[in-house]
Amino acid sequence: GQSIARLQQGTSAAATTLLKLLIDQNTPASVRARVADSIFNHAAKAIEIEDIEARVSALEAATASEGAK
């Protein structure tokens, strides 16, 4: 409940931190590479989740329309 909400509220700051590290030329290359990998991984997961949500919504809509007949 509250713990999840607090973590979700912190995601914007976390993303900002990652992006700042990525573009800062003073950040060691190894750290920038790890940050870039992290950003790609999180973006890929977000895309997968959005795709699953869209599929579930479509299935729910199809099931609801079949039940209405």
Side-chain angles (χ1 to χ4, degrees):
Q2 283 184 332
S3 298
I4 293 171
R6 289 183 69 196
L7 289 171
Q8 288 173 331
Q9 290 171 352
T11 58
S12 179
T16 298
T17 299
L18 288 175
L19 292 170
K20 284 181 180 180
L21 287 168
L22 185 64
I23 63 173
D24 184 353
Q25 295 301 312
N26 294 320
T27 301
S30 61
V31 173
R32 290 196 342 255
R34 179 68 183 110
V35 167
D37 185 58
S38 178
I39 291 170
F40 279 127
N41 285 331
H42 288 293
K45 285 180 186 177
I47 291 167
E48 289 172 4
I49 290 169
E50 286 180 351
D51 181 55
I52 290 169
E53 288 175 344
R55 290 177 180 200
V56 168
S57 292
L59 288 171
E60 288 174 341
T63 301
S65 67
E66 286 296 319
K69 291 182 179 180

